[in-house]
Amino acid sequence: MIPYGTGRPLLTPVDLDGSRRSARLRRLGLGKRADASFDSFDAFADRVAEVTATPFSIVNFIDENRQFFAGLHTPAGIRGGADLGAAAAAGSGGRYLARDHGYCPHVLVRRKALVLEDVCDYPRFAGNPVVDDIGIRSYLGAPLIDRTGVALGTVCAVDTVPRAWGRAGLDTIKLPAREFVVQLERREAVNP
């Protein structure tokens, strides 16, 4: 565990690929709201929310210091992330989140999908700030591993109530993650 600024233990796993990922994100022009092509990322997040029937879904790129919601679906359709409450940092319309918040950093380091039917059932995850700040109770997330083998971020769906995702939920979130990686590869081929 890494010490947290408040003296509590930080349960976010150590990320040994952070520098490599950050360089790859910069090379791809990802990790910050740069141009209109990010609208397609929002549309992708909308589709994930529809498929999973969740109020929130995110296409999330993670660098060494923070998370960036390149694609965002919220219940009210607010693209700036205001629905994410105090957990979303100011700047870029609230599309940034501290690196130690949420479950996507775990997916990134594990390089495997994660299903949490009720985050409160897992002591390691129940104390995460997003539980209190946003009210997240269930989570589905899958890594975005590009052609170079770098895990750039995640696609995730979250709900404010426990959900019985099961194996079907795991399969459901893996498919859009694979689709999104293909979308990134096409984007890179057009903008080498």
Side-chain angles (χ1 to χ4, degrees):
M1 288 194 240
I2 303 169
Y4 187 68
T6 62
R8 347 179 261 168
L10 176 64
L11 300 178
T12 303
V14 174
D15 179 10
L16 301 177
D17 284 339
S19 297
R20 184 173 170 219
R21 177 179 318 99
S22 293
R24 182 79 176 127
L25 288 170
R26 281 191 303 276
R27 167 94 170 76
L28 294 171
L30 302 171
K32 61 181 181 177
R33 194 148 187 95
D35 57 44
S37 68
F38 279 82
D39 292 342
S40 68
F41 296 172
D42 285 336
F44 192 88
D46 290 343
R47 282 195 356 250
V48 172
E50 184 178 332
V51 167
T52 59
T54 56
F56 299 97
S57 65
I58 301 166
V59 175
N60 188 10
F61 296 120
I62 304 171
D63 66 19
E64 293 172 289
N65 303 306
R66 62 185 179 183
Q67 303 177 62
F68 171 63
F69 303 153
L72 179 62
H73 174 89
T74 65
I78 299 171
R79 298 292 186 195
D83 286 353
L84 298 177
S92 189
R95 286 189 179 241
Y96 293 107
L97 187 66
R99 177 118 181 13
D100 63 343
H101 284 51
Y103 310 108
C104 290
H106 295 271
V107 171
L108 194 73
V109 171
R110 290 167 32 115
R111 300 174 58 89
K112 293 196 292 189
L114 177 64
V115 175
L116 300 171
E117 294 183 341
D118 185 343
V119 299
C120 294
D121 288 344
Y122 305 88
R124 176 178 190 176
F125 298 120
N128 196 289
V130 296
V131 174
D132 293 332
D133 292 349
I134 302 172
I136 290 176
R137 286 294 298 273
S138 57
Y139 172 91
L140 279 176
L144 299 170
I145 301 173
D146 79 349
R147 64 173 179 74
T148 67
V150 174
L152 301 172
T154 64
V155 169
C156 72
V158 297
D159 206 335
T160 56
V161 296
R163 297 279 296 266
W165 301 111
R167 177 70 187 178
L170 186 65
D171 294 338
T172 298
I173 200 65
K174 285 179 176 181
L175 180 60
R178 285 191 298 268
E179 290 173 7
F180 193 80
V181 169
V182 169
Q183 183 177 333
L184 287 178
E185 290 170 355
R186 286 186 192 132
R187 176 187 162 116
E188 183 178 21
V190 172
N191 303 308

